[in-house]
Amino acid sequence: MKKELSDRKKHILCSAIEDYIKDASPITSGAVKDKHIQQVSTATLRNELNALEAMGYLKQLHTSGGRVPTTEGYRYYVSSLLENFQVDENQLKKVENDLKERTTSLKDILSSVANLVSKATNMPTVILANGYDKLIIDDIRIIPLIDGEALVLFRTKSGIVNHTIKVKASEKACDDAGKYLTKLFNGKTIGELLEGDILYTSLQEVESFKSLIESLIESMRAFVQARKLDIRGESATNLLDENEHQSVVETKRILNLLGDEECLCEVIDTTNQETDDLSITLGDENEKVEGCALIKAPIVINGTPVASLAVIGPERMDYASIASAIKVVMGELNDKGR
């Protein structure tokens, strides 16, 4: 639970953390006075910093050195930041223009979002597609390909989902199966189709394409259950600063996390998140992301959560800009997907 702070302590803490995020300079009473509160004496500010340290928001790396934020300090800062969050209209316009060019393929939409957020934040960005079973079906098309394969297209209210299945079937069987499934499952979810309860009561009527539908169901179940990651980790190298050994250590931790797909899936999944808003995970709160921080949110298109997005960086990252970029993109996707 966030500890209550006086207005002055809150101002000192948040201002000092913002400065630390920008230049990694230790927090001192002199710097706070010069930059933020000139009317208060250095001695008083030193007492305030001592109090913030005692409360667990700051810590001293060396006895005679300045202070740096703790994980609890970062947590207080980001909570205060998000409470007062406002969207930057210039950022909103840029995202709107970028999203106008997106394709109708859901996979391509999610890939574009990962790329857009990564460029906007200059931080590694990961998307986990984990909501395909919740997509509402408008239409199903099955197109025969060569070498015993068929392309299945699910047109949903959130975009098109395409999947290739291994099955030998005629063009007529594919066309008939698509029309049959559309009639049966229009307005229902992909998950309901895959349950098979409604489907298998009627298969006796469709002997000509029964094997095609059974292959589709089996393959789509595996497809939906698979964890599909889109990782944009190129920005991780931008975190390196030749003058700071600590940033090298942080970058290695981030790269290790990006290389562990099983761990990534676990820590960025927002399926059980209580709200559709941003959430923050800091290293001291989850050993799987030690030394890192995650800002994550569900991707909602046309009211349906279809994926989880996370920006990964060091605890000393620009939460304000990153939160702004994610908020704007998430809002645009929901608005434009209607």
Side-chain angles (χ1 to χ4, degrees):
M1 184 175 180
K2 187 167 65 175
K3 298 176 183 177
E4 286 297 323
L5 297 180
S6 66
D7 289 343
R8 186 164 70 185
K9 282 188 175 64
K10 181 176 180 180
H11 177 52
I12 291 171
L13 179 63
C14 291
S15 299
I17 289 178
E18 285 179 359
D19 290 342
Y20 185 75
I21 287 171
K22 291 174 184 176
D23 57 24
S25 296
I27 299 164
T28 65
S29 55
V32 173
K33 179 176 176 61
D34 291 342
K35 295 179 180 179
H36 305 292
I37 312 181
Q38 289 80 16
Q39 69 275 19
V40 177
S41 70
T42 303
T44 299
L45 291 173
R46 189 179 300 115
N47 290 334
E48 294 283 39
L49 292 177
N50 287 338
L52 289 169
E53 182 178 352
M55 297 171 77
Y57 292 121
L58 300 174
K59 63 182 178 182
Q60 279 190 303
L61 297 178
H62 308 288
T63 305
S64 59
R67 297 168 175 83
V68 298
T70 63
T71 296
E72 192 168 356
Y74 281 120
R75 166 64 62 190
Y76 189 96
Y77 171 72
V78 296
S79 296
S80 301
L81 173 72
L82 297 181
E83 283 176 3
N84 302 307
F85 181 83
Q86 292 183 344
V87 173
D88 185 307
E89 291 299 324
N90 291 328
Q91 287 182 312
L92 183 64
K93 190 65 177 177
K94 180 184 183 304
V95 173
E96 181 179 346
N97 291 336
D98 287 339
L99 289 176
K100 282 180 180 177
E101 304 301 322
R102 76 185 188 204
T103 69
T104 54
S105 164
L106 185 55
K107 179 181 178 181
D108 288 345
I109 291 172
L110 295 178
S111 183
S112 295
V113 169
N115 188 51
L116 180 63
V117 173
S118 182
K119 286 183 177 179
T121 62
N122 206 30
M123 288 283 181
T125 301
V126 182
I127 284 184
L128 171 66
N130 54 4
Y132 283 179
D133 58 322
K134 304 178 185 69
L135 298 174
I136 299 174
I137 298 169
D138 283 338
D139 184 43
I140 300 173
R141 302 287 177 89
I142 306 173
I143 303 168
L145 305 174
I146 60 174
D147 298 330
E149 292 185 333
L151 175 65
V152 183
L153 299 174
F154 288 85
R155 184 161 61 86
T156 78
K157 298 186 183 303
S158 303
I160 291 175
V161 176
N162 56 284
H163 180 58
T164 301
I165 63 175
K166 291 189 175 297
V167 63
K168 289 185 178 181
S170 67
E171 185 173 345
K172 184 178 187 308
C174 288
D175 187 55
D176 289 345
K179 290 177 179 176
Y180 172 79
L181 290 173
T182 298
K183 181 180 179 181
L184 205 58
F185 290 99
N186 175 266
K188 296 182 172 61
T189 66
I190 290 179
E192 288 176 296
L193 183 153
L194 299 182
E195 289 174 0
D197 294 343
I198 301 175
L199 188 64
Y200 286 107
T201 59
S202 308
L203 276 180
Q204 292 180 351
E205 307 169 13
V206 290
E207 287 296 328
S208 62
F209 49 82
K210 177 180 178 180
S211 61
L212 170 58
I213 292 180
E214 289 176 331
S215 296
L216 184 154
I217 295 294
E218 181 180 357
S219 182
M220 278 300 298
R221 278 178 179 156
F223 174 75
V224 168
Q225 290 172 2
R227 300 231 174 179
K228 293 167 279 294
L229 284 168
D230 189 324
I231 303 172
R232 302 301 170 96
E234 301 89 349
S235 301
T237 55
N238 295 331
L239 302 173
L240 286 170
D241 185 333
E242 294 180 357
N243 297 321
E244 292 184 52
H245 174 70
Q246 184 181 2
S247 68
V248 177
V249 175
E250 290 172 338
T251 302
K252 286 182 178 179
R253 287 171 173 168
I254 293 167
L255 290 173
N256 287 337
L257 179 58
L258 292 173
D260 188 341
E261 293 194 1
E262 183 177 349
C263 182
L264 272 181
C265 288
E266 180 180 340
V267 298
I268 75 171
D269 193 347
T270 58
T271 303
N272 297 320
Q273 189 169 305
E274 294 182 0
T275 71
D276 290 341
D277 209 344
L278 297 177
S279 64
I280 312 291
T281 301
L282 300 175
D284 286 1
E285 300 169 338
N286 187 330
E287 62 181 11
K288 295 182 183 296
V289 295
E290 181 183 359
C292 308
L294 303 179
I295 302 179
K296 61 183 180 179
I299 297 179
V300 180
I301 303 179
N302 197 29
T304 302
V306 298
S308 304
L309 177 143
V311 172
I312 302 173
E315 288 190 332
R316 186 183 64 83
M317 64 178 172
D318 189 346
Y319 293 98
S321 296
I322 293 170
S324 177
I326 295 176
K327 280 266 193 176
V328 169
V329 173
M330 298 303 100
E332 279 295 299
L333 278 172
N334 207 19
D335 291 342
K336 301 301 177 186
R338 294 187 188 281

